[in-house]
């Protein structure tokens, strides 16, 4: 089983719908991240969380919200999806204890979202 | 401002030949540098990192990278390319602890490597 699991892997939805992407990890890491990948734009950070009670905005947080329900779970919500949120979304984790402060990330397999 | 540049969108190399994927950065001080690989329809995987010490860093799958402070570069290399190395490669940089905005990685836009049989 994957250490970082994202659900759903693929989702097609319509403009205005609320969408939740979920991420769970079995690595025991304290830090979790949501990224968005678009062709030609690389990876952009949406939100990150260094602890259950710690939520931080990334580069492109507008239109998104997150919830860190437990150390192992970090969900990303699109309250009212729009077509330019069509992208590949990645959850990632890192751990201060084992990775030191060097920032090595462990990624999920991605969630492909299409907003029509 | 911090930035990372991968000057080549695509690199093509014949199997068995050496490969180089370029990365340059603009970060003050002594940054942490990373390479990640993304195979088709997969998430990113960590390849290697430079924190301090020897400028030549060895990583997974036979890859290595050389940190060059004077040229602010961190090029990824492999002596003999395999078809299975075909993937998207990302360079990333981070400020060291205690400096600037070290909580986040700054990513390059990626370089697509195609290894031809």
């Amino acid at each position: 089983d994957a250490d970082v699991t994202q659900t759903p892997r693929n989702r097609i939805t319509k403009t205005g719908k609320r969408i939740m992407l979920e991420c769970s990890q079995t690595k025991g890491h304290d830090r979790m991240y949501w990224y968005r990948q678009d062709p030609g734009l690389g990876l952009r950070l949406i939100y990150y969380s260094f602890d259950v009670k710690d939520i931080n905005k990334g580069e492109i947080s507008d239109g998104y919200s997150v919830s860190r329900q437990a150390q192992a779970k970090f969900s990303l919500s699109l309250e009212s999806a729009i077509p330019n949120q069509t992208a590949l979304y990645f959850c990632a984790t890192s751990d201060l204890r084992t990775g030191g402060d060097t920032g090595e990330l462990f990624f999920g397999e991605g969630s492909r979202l299409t907003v029509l | 401002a911090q930035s990372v540049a991968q000057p080549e969108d695509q690199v093509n190399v014949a199997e068995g030949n050496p490969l180089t994927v370029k990365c340059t950065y603009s970060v003050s001080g002594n940054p942490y540098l990373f390479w990640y690989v993304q195979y088709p329809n997969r998430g990113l995987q960590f390849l290697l990192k430079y924190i301090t010490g020897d400028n030549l860093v060895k990583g997974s799958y036979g890859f290595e990278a050389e940190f060059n402070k004077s040229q602010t570069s961190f090029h990824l290399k492999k002596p003999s390319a395999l078809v299975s190395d075909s993937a998207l490669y990302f360079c990333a940089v981070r400020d060291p602890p205690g400096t600037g905005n070290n909580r986040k990685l700054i990513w390059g836009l990626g370089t697509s490597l195609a290894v031809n049989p």
Side-chain angles (χ1 to χ4, degrees), chain A residues 45-103:
Chain A
L45 183 63
I46 306 173
Y47 273 96
Y48 63 102
S49 169
F50 279 10
D51 197 308
V52 173
K53 297 181 181 180
D54 176 73
I55 300 291
N56 303 278
K57 292 183 177 180
E59 307 166 58
I60 54 164
S61 57
D62 287 349
Y64 301 94
S65 62
V66 291
S67 174
R68 184 83 184 265
Q69 301 96 321
Q71 187 192 36
K73 296 183 182 294
F74 192 38
S75 59
L76 176 71
S77 293
L78 289 67
E79 296 300 326
S80 179
I82 55 177
N84 75 1
Q85 291 177 314
T86 293
L88 185 57
Y89 291 86
F90 286 105
C91 175
T93 72
S94 69
D95 186 40
L96 176 62
R97 296 163 299 169
T98 57
D101 199 28
T102 60

